[in-house]
Amino acid sequence: MGIKQDTEDSLKDFEFTKIDGQPTDEDLNQLTKECINAAASISTTNGGGQHGHVGMIIDDAEYILFSHNAARFVTPTNPGPYPATVDPDAAIRERQVAEHKAEIAEFETYLGVENFLRKAIIKVVDPEWIAELESESMGFNHRSPKEILAYLRAHGGDLDHLDVTELIQQLQKDWDHVEAPATLFARGDKIERQLVKAGQAANPPLRLAFALATFEASGEFEPSIREWKAKPVADRTFTKFRIFMQKAFTDRNKHNKSTAQSTGRGIVNSATDVTMGKVDEAEAAALAIAEVAMVMQEKQFKQMMEMFKELMQANVPGAPSQASVPTQSKQRKVCPHCKRPHAKPDKCWELDANKADRPANWKPAAERQPKAQS
């Protein structure tokens, strides 16, 4: 089919997120990443040779920061059907022809990547947001992917004061008691990058204040917070706090997991005559419940454990239930006929009325040693 079409076909499995309505800054960041992932997958020696065709998506100044030896990504031009010069020397001429073929392959590969990305962007964006770029005769074929993305950012993708306010509110969002601090900080980094693009300077001390406040308010890291506050001022930086809190979170989870395993074993050990397979299942279930419960208040945790015990007693064969475990209030009364405890004295085998129920080896109480009646 040709190099151009083969290149497009090789990219068909890359997925792009549909953008509904006016593209936001976040939408365009995601779309740009998806374009970069596809472009990077097609290798080239252009631009240092390390990042594929990424240079057709990002600005030159940004690309140089990542390229090998600060190489620039140069948009290839059509080398034409024949070499520009042909040397009379056969060996040199052969090399010139080979180089020309390589230039053709490079150019057509570039066109394949460009055409695929152009169509991908047009497909995920609603038509009205790029209608101004469309030509009646050429459609979007005269527009590069980088040009279309730049147009979208200039016509709605930039952050206004309302977006900035919302991002700052997201940056101050409280910790949810579950996710790792590293995840919280990474989300904050993403928000901060958007704010910087909107003209807001990065402010590590402010982020430290937000983070310290939310972890302290959670009440789950009191010893760690005291340790942090006791550190020298020079050591209390946001960068170091990120590492400190992730370690505190990891240590807390290890402790809670150990406690949960002990709780699970305690519950399982209360069940008698249970197969080892049932024990393993019960302990695993107890561990799962206990690990979820670790973020709950102590009272809720105790209630959950009581509920789990009831579930064990109801569903695990051989587990002692309230009905089968003797308690002081449910002691059997002593039978007045055989002087032994059993539930129904009127059914006692000592009575002649119940002689038909006596087993073959039964003996009267006066003739046998005292032992529990069957």
Side-chain angles (χ1 to χ4, degrees):
M1 279 189 167
I3 295 174
K4 179 177 178 290
Q5 187 59 53
D6 289 344
T7 301
E8 289 189 53
D9 292 343
S10 70
L11 293 168
K12 63 183 180 180
D13 291 333
F14 282 90
E15 296 182 354
F16 291 77
T17 306
K18 180 70 175 72
I19 299 175
D20 296 317
Q22 184 176 12
T24 65
D25 181 71
E26 187 173 358
D27 291 333
L28 295 177
N29 288 343
Q30 179 65 27
L31 178 56
T32 300
K33 288 180 183 178
E34 291 167 348
C35 288
I36 287 174
N37 289 338
S41 70
I42 304 299
S43 62
T44 176
T45 57
N46 192 353
Q50 291 183 315
H51 306 292
H53 286 74
V54 170
M56 70 164 56
I57 299 298
I58 65 177
D59 293 333
D60 293 341
E62 184 179 4
Y63 183 84
I64 290 174
L65 295 176
F66 299 102
S67 65
H68 181 63
N69 292 330
R72 304 178 68 88
F73 186 90
V74 181
T75 302
T77 57
N78 189 344
Y82 303 104
T85 59
V86 179
D87 197 277
D89 182 275
I92 297 176
R93 184 170 62 250
E94 184 178 354
R95 186 180 70 247
Q96 289 173 334
V97 171
E99 290 174 348
H100 181 258
K101 289 182 178 179
E103 290 173 357
I104 292 176
E106 180 74 19
F107 177 67
E108 293 188 357
T109 299
Y110 180 92
L111 293 181
V113 177
E114 182 182 54
N115 200 44
F116 173 82
L117 294 179
R118 181 192 297 114
K119 290 189 291 187
I121 295 171
I122 294 170
K123 184 176 180 180
V124 300
V125 177
D126 291 338
E128 59 266 30
W129 301 110
I130 51 176
E132 190 176 339
L133 294 177
E134 189 175 15
S135 165
E136 289 186 4
S137 57
M138 291 289 290
F140 294 97
N141 288 309
H142 61 308
R143 305 291 188 180
S144 70
K146 185 188 295 186
E147 186 179 359
I148 300 174
L149 290 172
Y151 175 87
L152 288 169
R153 287 194 184 279
H155 294 76
D158 289 337
L159 298 173
D160 59 21
H161 66 284
L162 295 176
D163 296 321
V164 171
T165 301
E166 183 180 353
L167 287 172
I168 292 175
Q169 291 174 346
Q170 292 178 18
L171 198 60
Q172 299 178 56
K173 187 176 180 180
D174 288 336
W175 179 58
D176 64 2
H177 295 242
V178 176
E179 71 177 358
T183 304
L184 178 70
F185 294 136
R187 186 168 59 251
D189 292 342
K190 180 179 178 181
I191 294 172
E192 186 175 62
R193 285 193 294 270
Q194 291 181 281
L195 289 171
V196 169
K197 288 172 60 178
Q200 304 292 316
N203 194 334
L206 185 61
R207 288 192 63 189
L208 171 59
F210 289 158
L212 182 59
T214 189
F215 285 116
E216 186 172 17
S218 73
E220 298 191 26
F221 299 97
E222 293 181 2
S224 297
I225 296 298
R226 287 196 299 269
E227 180 184 347
W228 172 259
K229 290 182 176 180
K231 291 179 177 290
V233 175
D235 291 337
R236 298 203 301 266
T237 66
F238 181 54
T239 300
K240 292 183 177 180
F241 184 73
R242 296 170 68 135
I243 300 172
F244 178 85
M245 280 310 304
Q246 183 57 44
K247 183 178 183 303
F249 177 82
T250 301
D251 291 343
R252 187 200 69 159
N253 279 1
K254 288 180 181 178
H255 172 76
N256 287 339
K257 185 174 182 179
S258 176
T259 302
Q261 288 174 333
S262 298
T263 303
R265 284 191 290 270
I267 294 173
V268 174
N269 287 338
S270 68
T272 58
D273 299 328
V274 184
T275 65
M276 287 305 295
K278 291 291 184 180
V279 171
D280 291 340
E281 293 174 7
E283 186 170 350
L287 176 59
I289 289 179
E291 289 185 320
V292 172
M294 73 182 182
V295 299
M296 302 166 63
Q297 296 296 327
E298 182 179 357
K299 181 177 179 180
Q300 293 172 304
F301 179 82
K302 291 180 178 179
Q303 290 174 343
M304 179 170 280
M305 288 299 98
E306 290 300 322
M307 292 171 61
F308 184 75
K309 288 181 180 178
E310 293 177 4
L311 182 65
M312 282 282 297
Q313 292 166 353
N315 295 292
V316 179
S321 65
Q322 291 288 15
S324 62
V325 177
T327 63
Q328 186 173 3
S329 61
K330 293 187 179 181
Q331 289 283 349
R332 293 179 178 179
K333 295 182 180 180
V334 175
C335 174
H337 312 295
C338 64
K339 308 303 181 185
R340 298 183 181 280
H342 58 80
K344 299 179 179 180
D346 59 326
K347 298 294 184 180
C348 181
W349 295 332
E350 293 287 342
L351 298 177
D352 290 340
N354 301 319
K355 65 170 63 176
D357 297 329
R358 294 170 182 167
N361 61 348
W362 179 82
K363 295 181 179 180
E367 300 180 7
R368 54 190 167 86
Q369 295 294 324
K371 64 179 180 179
Q373 183 176 342
S374 301

